[in-house]
Amino acid sequence: MQRLSERTDTFTDSVIRRMTRISNQYGAINLSQGFPDFDPPRAILDRLAEVSREDFHQYSITWGAQNFREALAEKQSRYMGRPVDPNGEITVTCGSTEAMMAAMMTVANPGDKVVIFSPFYENYGADVILSGAEPIYVPLAPPDFRFDPEALEDAFRQRPKALILCNPSNPCGRVFTREELELIAGLAEKYDAYVITDEVYEHIVYAPHQHTYFATLPDMWKRTISCSSLSKTYSITGWRLGYTIAPPEITERIKKVHDFLTVGAAAPLQEAVIPGLRFGREYYDGLLAEYTHKRELFLGGLDRLHIVHNTPEGAYYVLLDISEFGYDSDLRFCEDLAEKVGVGAVPGSSFFREPVNHLIRFHFAKRDETLLDALNRLEGLRVKIPPKRRPCSAMPTPFGSSS
Ligand code: GLN
């Protein structure tokens, strides 16, 4: 038999999604793969029920149904503070997962280099490999997850075709400041690189931090592909609705890639979510208030258990330090955590390029009862998994246990 493709030789399955299966296997509370256990907004569900009896069962236009794109363009224009053309600048995709893949295939030739901050959402590594590009990783070092401007410029000196920017960042919760983004913009301009953003947590940014859309920085519109999704904003991760926003010349190409990758996102779901896209500011304020409360509830609980963690500025993830347990493998720790304590987490090593094995990620996009139940179970953590060292008193500094 001939060998299967080289580009899939080095793949593992997604560790995030594997941890969901492991959590299910042990009946653990699944705080690994980030998705809510509460309902999407009523208005969207009501419209979904109606849509089943209307005429939305066949393909929509491949780059997105006209009324969906118009509603999305109107909403994004409001938030981005610049007009977005529903016809020339939007491509609707099957989740931001496809948006990122289509963006990568639009920009990169085999052998091109792409800059990725580490830690990174695990799909980016796979996107780069599938598009034939080569990643250059630039560390965001704990405890504050800032990048070294010199290290970033070193990466740009290798003449990358693009940089992938996850902001707010999964898994580390950074919300990049305007100054940091301007620094990235300056390098993108100087070295003529595209910027592909992942801004799926654009509405989950905790005060006093503020989200700046990279595409809206001076001169950046022409070289930015903004990718995002409706999954997190409307609590509909299973609907797989994402999109790219990019200038017409780039969108023209993205549409073609998307057309042959998936043809289109689900037509009835595009129609059903339109009332959500038309929500006013109070919806997004309410969503943020809810996540601000959950962040306080869950992180406060971790503090009471003396578990060292970072404090996310955005998104709904928290990284915990597990060095006290003395595991060589954070994956093994997460398996034990699911089996013995009954809580699912993602091993930090699946996000870092660097050899990190002392961090795990929880998400807190869950009902309060679920979070309290998880905290309750975590009270038994040190009994069920006895520590081998003293706990750390602060988030360890760059890539290694401080204890
Ligand atoms: N973005 C979510 C996470 O990081 C869900 C990922 C996925 O499985 N699509 O957990």
Side-chain angles (χ1 to χ4, degrees), residues 136-355:
I136 310 171
Y137 294 98
V138 174
L140 296 173
D144 59 3
F145 297 101
R146 286 173 183 275
F147 59 84
D148 169 5
E150 219 12 76
L152 186 60
E153 179 142 18
D154 275 348
F156 273 97
R157 285 193 189 100
Q158 297 182 51
R159 296 280 168 179
K161 195 70 170 288
L163 171 139
I164 296 179
L165 178 71
C166 184
N167 185 35
S169 186
N170 175 8
C172 71
R174 268 315 304 289
V175 174
F176 292 100
T177 62
R178 196 173 171 96
E179 291 67 35
E180 287 172 304
L181 296 174
E182 280 171 352
L183 201 145
I184 297 170
L187 292 171
E189 191 70 25
K190 180 170 168 189
Y191 293 96
D192 187 18
Y194 292 93
V195 174
I196 299 171
T197 74
D198 174 354
E199 295 176 284
V200 302
Y201 305 98
E202 65 202 278
H203 294 291
I204 308 175
V205 175
Y206 306 106
H209 304 281
Q210 282 191 339
H211 183 63
T212 303
Y213 290 93
F214 190 82
T216 66
L217 292 175
D219 293 330
M220 286 302 108
W221 182 259
K222 65 177 188 293
R223 59 175 71 254
T224 304
I225 301 175
S226 305
C227 301
S228 193
S229 113
L230 282 70
S231 291
K232 318 290 178 179
T233 304
Y234 304 104
S235 308
I236 48 170
T237 62
W239 289 30
R240 315 308 301 127
L241 291 177
Y243 57 90
T244 63
I245 294 179
E249 321 74 73
I250 302 179
T251 295
E252 220 24 69
R253 299 286 189 97
I254 295 174
K255 281 179 181 173
K256 291 184 209 169
V257 176
H258 157 76
D259 197 1
F260 289 108
L261 274 179
T262 62
V263 179
L269 301 182
Q270 291 183 60
E271 180 61 27
V273 83
I274 287 174
L277 291 170
R278 297 207 175 115
F279 285 154
R281 209 195 153 86
E282 59 298 340
Y283 172 74
Y284 303 95
D285 290 349
L287 180 82
L288 179 58
E290 199 48 51
Y291 276 116
T292 302
H293 158 76
K294 290 187 188 305
R295 184 180 71 149
E296 206 176 293
L297 176 78
F298 193 60
L299 271 54
L302 294 178
D303 288 339
R304 276 190 293 286
L305 298 173
H306 303 289
I307 300 176
V308 172
H309 60 83
N310 73 326
T311 300
E313 300 165 351
Y316 49 51
Y317 303 100
V318 55
L319 290 168
L320 283 64
D321 176 32
I322 53 155
S323 19
E324 65 180 288
F325 299 98
Y327 276 65
D328 291 332
S329 158
D330 53 356
L331 177 60
R332 184 78 211 125
F333 178 86
C334 287
E335 286 166 351
D336 282 355
L337 189 69
E339 183 182 351
K340 297 179 181 163
V341 184
V343 184
V346 183
S349 55
S350 62
F351 302 107
F352 282 88
R353 174 63 176 172
E354 299 77 9

Side-chain angles (χ1 to χ4, degrees), residues 11-25 30 32-35 96-98 121-124 126-127 130 170 232 237 240 317 331 345-347 350-351 361:
F11 267 49
T12 63
D13 57 335
S14 151
V15 179
I16 296 179
R17 297 182 275 280
R18 192 193 312 167
M19 287 316 302
T20 283
R21 295 192 293 275
I22 290 175
S23 293
N24 293 347
Q25 180 188 335
N30 185 5
S32 59
Q33 188 181 15
F35 62 88
S96 62
T97 300
E98 190 211 337
Y121 172 50
E122 59 176 5
N123 276 38
Y124 308 156
D127 291 347
L130 285 174
N170 175 8
K232 318 290 178 179
T237 62
R240 315 308 301 127
Y317 303 100
L331 177 60
V346 183
S350 62
F351 302 107
R361 190 196 77 173

